[in-house]
Amino acid sequence: MFTLAQARHLLATLRPRVDELIVLRADLAELHADLADGGTSPHGGLPEVKALEARIYGILDELGEQDIQVKGYAPVLLDFAGERDGRPVLWCWLEGDRDISWYHRLECGFAGRRKLT
């Protein structure tokens, strides 16, 4: 369980790794697109696909080891288990958010996302 302050601190600490994940995801998407057309890619070939995938999975595993729930990869969606007003919630961060500014009840999922006030 994370307090909101703990979740925000952990996200700030891991933000360089999350930013790296986003870059790697884009590189992998371009590489797949280039190779699907039977062409070449400045990002390489099949060995580079496997290397990018391994790096991405490594970051995802690293986040999981910190008890962060990775709910999405494109876009990146991270949840941190917490409590608000005595009820279990997930502090929610979506790629593009500057900070953790949203939460939702466990049973409501992303559709139940609410702005922190």
Side-chain angles (χ1 to χ4, degrees), residues 63-103:
L63 296 173
E65 290 169 1
Q66 298 291 326
D67 292 326
I68 298 170
Q69 299 175 29
V70 179
K71 298 291 181 77
Y73 158 78
V76 178
L77 176 59
L78 306 176
D79 282 341
F80 303 75
E83 187 176 290
R84 180 177 168 97
D85 300 326
R87 182 180 294 247
V89 298
L90 295 171
W91 309 118
C92 187
W93 180 83
L94 178 63
E95 182 179 328
D97 291 348
R98 292 181 359 170
D99 194 7
I100 297 173
S101 303
W102 299 84
Y103 75 98

